[in-house]
Amino acid sequence: MAKGRGSAVVATAVLLLALLLHCEWADAKTYTVGDGGGWTFNVAGWPSGKTFRAGDILVFNYGAAAHNVVAVNKAGYQTCSTPRGAKVYQTGRDQIRLAKGQNFFICNFPGHCQSAMKIAITAA
């Protein structure tokens, strides 16, 4: 009998944890990077004044033949370089969920990041 109660407690705990995680993601907001202009040049200031949370989704809209999105680290963001193993998105309608802390994205087509086609976002 005690074994059955223990299993029920574990099952209840797992269910509550799943519910908590679902609720956190249910509150997630979706942001279109660059708003109507999309992911393009001079978008580096776009995050200014916005509040982001872990789990929020960024939508990057762009012409796939002309741009991409690369998730980079801080050094990659600052130097406009793609670290080895960086995730490269190329669909033209990429959706990326923010991780807690700092998130950095660039376009690594030649000269694009240097033309402010990059964003840095801190998610609470």
Side-chain angles (χ1 to χ4, degrees):
M1 188 88 148
K3 185 175 181 182
R5 285 187 194 165
S7 296
V9 169
V10 170
T12 302
V14 169
L15 180 63
L16 288 174
L17 180 60
L19 183 61
L20 177 65
L21 290 174
H22 176 70
C23 289
E24 183 175 309
W25 284 31
D27 288 339
K29 293 183 181 176
T30 300
Y31 295 90
T32 300
V33 176
D35 299 319
W39 176 238
T40 190
F41 300 106
N42 298 312
V43 75
W46 172 82
S48 182
K50 295 174 181 64
T51 302
F52 299 95
R53 297 176 51 99
D56 286 350
I57 298 170
L58 299 182
V59 178
F60 291 82
N61 294 321
Y62 57 93
H67 304 295
N68 65 13
V69 180
V70 184
V72 297
N73 56 23
K74 186 174 184 177
Y77 177 82
Q78 291 173 330
T79 62
C80 288
S81 60
T82 303
R84 186 167 45 176
K87 175 71 175 157
V88 179
Y89 299 87
Q90 318 179 66
T91 69
R93 293 196 51 82
D94 306 310
Q95 295 187 19
I96 303 172
R97 190 174 300 276
L98 292 174
K100 185 172 184 157
Q102 295 182 315
N103 297 261
F104 300 97
F105 305 97
I106 67 171
C107 176
N108 73 355
F109 278 46
H112 291 201
C113 179
Q114 293 83 350
S115 296
M117 195 167 179
K118 63 182 187 174
I119 57 172
I121 293 175
T122 301

